[in-house]
Amino acid sequence: MAAANPLPPGSSGLPLVGETLQFAKDPFAFIRQRRARFGDVFRTSILGKPTVFIAGPQRAGLWLDPTKVQREGAMPANLLALFGGDPDIVPLLDGEAHAQRKRSLLAAFSPEAIEAYLPGLQARIEGLLAKWLANREGPVTADLKTLAIESLAGAIFGLEPGEELSRLLADNAILASAFVALPIGLPGTAYSKGLQARDRILALLEKIAQRHIDAPPARPDGLARILSAAREAGAPLDAKTAAREMHHFLLAGMIVYAELAATLRALHENPDVCERLRAEVLANAPSGPIGPARLRAMPYLMQVVDEVKRTCPNVPMSFGRAKCAIDVAGYTIPQGHLVMMAVYESNLDPIFTAPEKFDPERFSPERDEKKRAPDAFMPQGAGALTFHKCAGYDFATVMMQLFAALALRTATWDLPSQDLSLKWVVPPEHKSGLVVRWSKAAGAAGQG
Ligand code: HEM
């Protein structure tokens, strides 16, 4: 009986602030330390909200049970404001409303849609590699952020370089600063500048959505596919709603840049993996366009991408709220408590052999550690794609595959001496900006 159980172990911290400051300093370490101390289910209080974290693939079933965990009311108001201020966005919808919206959004990530994005993604990545090779040495983080936003904006809503894209990039940078600022809405604070940037971004995206509604592009981009899927399902999206979803897409999707940085670092730090992967790429895609068939022909590339996804600290948690009192592990989570699924911590669960080690072999057909539990591998959320798992799962995968393959066939690189520690924001980034030294790969055509 629910009422007989104690609250999960943990601390509510100080009155009002709870443990917000410790959490904000480094959410990844916060979760790691408390899980080590209290176990897979622990209690805290963040931004005045009683909160329970659950960690580990074995607990994913609970997180995925819609009778127990809902999305409505799960996102703190300061974050919701930056995401557009209206909870009518896919991560915060439940039940049929979510299922319907998600079906429409996933039209932007069908195999056919992804295939259509590949040439544009390849051209952008090749352009960046050529620039890095010409410069020979420099920090890559800022360029990777730009690459991520430009790639999404190009593929999903057809935005090519120009005034609108430049504004979008500048305003997203202002918004990113607001995510790590104290949520104080006074004039001149980073947070209130972020809210102003959000308004400009939403206005621009609404204009783009309206253009798509009035005159769909001849060759459908992701947004055209979404709008048409929603229309066909009898639930057309208006320009304001489409703009909010696109704003969420950009914020949720740009974090792929952290995975690209982690790829460069992991391949530098693991020369055997790097050379085995380079050999696979040179055997299967030595030059020219890399389409789906070539990507499928490189199984080791997929293993490396999966291992980067598992080991790259990116998302600390996903947001939920207890729909009812939830009994778990001998404790009861009261109704209304926030319930957060610890994502990165679950990537490092002992369900994996030597979880701290970068070891793509764990995903070989012989070992296949993903099979150790239904949701053992959940770096982009647990469960089905039609539920709340990351809509951009395949987009992130192909972007990482292309980036690694193109870099390996074009260049060799190393990381000159620098401070490789991370700033523990979301997603964490290298304090040094990740300085990389580039050389043209032996036999690479047309670069440098
Ligand atoms: C490797 C990079 C990425 C990581 C680590 C990541 C991670 C996540 C996580 C942990 C969730 C929450 C799942 C849940 O609530 O259960 C999520 C949701 C989502 N992501 Fe990603 N993501 C990535 C890339 C992308 C990209 C490129 C897009 C493209 C637009 C995207 C769009 C979304 C959307 C729309 C949702 C909400 C899905 C829903 O609630 O139904 N993400 N992602």
Side-chain angles (χ1 to χ4, degrees), residues 6 39 67 81 94 106 112 129 132-133 166-167 176 206 224 256 268 273 284 341 345 375 387 407 411 419 427:
T67 66
D94 291 296
L106 285 176
E112 189 200 349
L129 286 165
W132 286 339
L133 272 165
S166 304
R167 270 200 282 143
E206 191 179 330
V256 72
H268 163 75
V273 173
N284 291 283
M341 181 76 213
E345 179 60 28
D375 284 291
F387 195 55
D419 174 6

Side-chain angles (χ1 to χ4, degrees), residues 262-281 299-308 311 357-363 367 404 408 413:
T263 303
L264 292 176
R265 181 168 173 183
L267 292 179
H268 163 75
E269 288 175 350
N270 296 274
D272 294 349
V273 173
C274 184
E275 289 321 311
R276 181 172 161 194
L277 185 55
R278 193 190 306 277
E280 186 183 68
V281 170
Y300 191 59
L301 176 61
M302 190 68 245
Q303 287 175 225
V304 171
V305 163
D306 280 345
E307 185 64 339
V308 171
T311 50
K357 189 171 171 222
F358 183 84
D359 178 15
E361 270 312 280
R362 71 175 76 251
F363 297 127
R367 282 174 57 190
L408 284 165
W413 65 92

Side-chain angles (χ1 to χ4, degrees), residues 96-107 224-237:
E96 189 43 36
H98 172 264
Q100 192 172 62
R101 180 71 55 79
K102 188 74 177 277
R103 271 195 300 274
S104 302
L105 296 182
L106 285 176
R225 289 173 194 273
I226 291 169
L227 292 169
S228 132
R231 249 190 335 266
E232 278 164 26
L237 290 180

Side-chain angles (χ1 to χ4, degrees), residues 71 91 98 102 248-249 252-253 255 259 318 379-380 387-388 390-392:
R71 303 304 176 115
H98 172 264
K102 188 74 177 277
H248 176 258
F249 263 32
I255 63 175
E259 309 278 337
S318 314
Q380 288 172 263
F387 195 55
H388 280 284
C390 176

